[in-house]
Amino acid sequence: VQKYIKYHTNCGIKSVLFKKENKSGGSKLIKKYFLLLQSDNRKKADGELFRHFQNLETNKTIYTMKALIDRILKDGKCYEGGILKVDKFINHQMDPNLMKQVAVELIRRYASTDINKILTVEASGIAPAIMMGFLLDLPVVFAKKKKPSTMSGMLSTTIFSFTKQREYTVCISKDYLTPNDKVLFVDDFLAYGNAAKGIIDLCQQAGAELVGMGFIIEKAFQHGRDAIEDAGIRCESLAIIDSLNDCRIKIRM
Ligand code: 5GP
């Protein structure tokens, strides 16, 4: 078994690949994982970009992204029914620089896991997912909200959207989600966890391993995390909203 190390200098990530040579002279990838380079610069950048605090009950350190929290407080808008609009930097106009920082932080959190694919749902999950796929050199698959007439062999599930107050079907081709896949799911929001439950179902149908789920913003008061953790899946989010009552954004920090 040969060990290869690849540096992704644009985001301070090191990937370690283990390849086994076969008799025909080729090689097969048998294991891959990512590490974050802890240079002085990186530590300095961490201090500026991220806040971390200790939960005194669990003794766990929780990281939140300062740049993201500041942006939500500056440009986020509250709507009736517990909806946060972030159209200025995530859902309509997008900030690629912030999106890169989001991708780097999610990669950092899942650095020690073994993944071979990034999974998301169209449309708003595609931006963070493609950033992560680009930085890690991994393919990105998005679940489609409309079944293409040309695609057979689809896995599908129904999801209830509370922002649109209706059910919709999402599907993924069996060619792109298989029993060989170890996937990391990423999306813009975690609310009631309906989209997450749909993704868990699709991964189960495909026989793929869902290594973890990562969200840019979690609205903790809608408790979507429970369904994910009850299914034994790791859940990470970069900004946690505790309440949107009285049109005021209360962020955990
Ligand atoms: P869930 O399925 O967890 O209830 O909701 C997650 C999905 O609904 C996300 O993919 C996101 O697109 C959308 N969503 C949920 N809450 C919000 C919100 O407050 N603002 C926006 N912009 N989208 C939301």
Side-chain angles (χ1 to χ4, degrees):
V1 176
Q2 297 280 343
K3 183 175 169 185
Y4 297 87
I5 296 176
K6 200 167 155 185
Y7 291 95
H8 306 260
T9 46
N10 53 358
C11 61
I13 291 161
K14 177 169 94 169
S15 48
V16 183
L17 299 99
F18 294 90
K19 288 183 180 176
K20 202 173 182 177
E21 299 204 351
N22 51 35
K23 286 183 190 120
S24 57
S27 63
K28 190 176 171 233
L29 182 67
I30 52 170
K31 195 175 162 63
K32 180 175 181 175
Y33 64 86
F34 305 100
L35 293 169
L36 232 96
L37 301 176
Q38 276 299 346
S39 66
D40 285 348
N41 277 349
R42 172 73 206 168
K43 278 186 196 146
K44 201 168 152 229
D46 264 3
E48 284 159 16
L49 290 175
F50 308 111
R51 285 194 184 118
H52 58 274
F53 58 89
Q54 202 106 17
N55 180 327
L56 295 176
E57 278 168 34
T58 61
N59 216 14
K60 245 170 87 175
T61 306
I62 299 169
Y63 291 85
T64 56
M65 255 187 84
K66 184 178 183 306
L68 175 63
I69 287 171
D70 290 350
R71 195 62 184 272
I72 293 170
L73 292 174
K74 181 168 161 264
D75 290 329
K77 291 194 172 67
C78 287
Y79 280 72
E80 283 295 313
I83 292 179
L84 178 70
K85 270 219 161 194
V86 284
D87 275 21
K88 205 168 175 183
F89 58 103
I90 295 179
N91 290 128
H92 195 7
Q93 174 170 264
M94 289 189 265
D95 179 339
N97 196 35
L98 182 72
M99 213 50 103
K100 183 191 162 192
Q101 292 170 10
V102 158
V104 169
E105 175 59 6
L106 283 174
I107 290 168
R108 194 187 68 74
R109 294 187 189 198
Y110 283 101
S112 58
T113 60
D114 183 16
I115 50 172
N116 70 339
K117 196 166 271 184
I118 309 292
L119 183 62
T120 188
V121 189
E122 67 176 340
S124 296
I126 295 178
I130 200 84
M131 281 285 180
M132 292 177 74
F134 171 71
L135 294 171
L136 294 174
D137 213 0
L138 290 177
V140 176
V141 177
F142 63 90
K144 291 182 174 249
K145 287 187 176 164
K146 262 194 195 140
K147 188 178 170 177
S149 56
T150 51
M151 225 187 253
S152 58
M154 301 291 287
L155 306 164
S156 69
T157 193
T158 38
I159 291 176
F160 178 76
S161 163
F162 99 97
T163 48
K164 300 195 174 84
Q165 285 294 316
R166 64 174 169 84
E167 274 196 339
Y168 61 97
T169 303
V170 291
C171 52
I172 299 182
S173 162
K174 280 182 186 157
D175 292 342
Y176 305 127
L177 193 61
T178 74
N180 295 327
D181 287 326
K182 295 170 194 285
V183 302
L184 177 61
F185 173 78
V186 58
D187 204 1
D188 57 345
F189 274 90
L190 172 62
Y192 292 95
N194 293 314
K197 279 189 246 174
I199 291 298
I200 294 171
D201 181 30
L202 285 176
C203 288
Q204 276 168 352
Q205 288 182 44
E209 184 187 338
L210 185 55
V211 174
M213 302 186 113
F215 302 89
I216 304 179
I217 302 171
E218 172 181 357
K219 292 184 292 178
F221 59 93
Q222 290 168 340
H223 306 290
R225 176 180 284 269
D226 297 350
I228 299 172
E229 291 185 340
D230 287 350
I233 295 159
R234 181 171 161 196
C235 174
E236 295 282 346
S237 59
L238 304 187
I240 301 173
I241 314 274
D242 279 321
S243 143
L244 291 174
N245 288 346
D246 306 321
C247 279
R248 286 186 46 198
I249 306 171
K250 239 176 96 188
I251 301 195
R252 198 173 301 176
M253 48 182 153

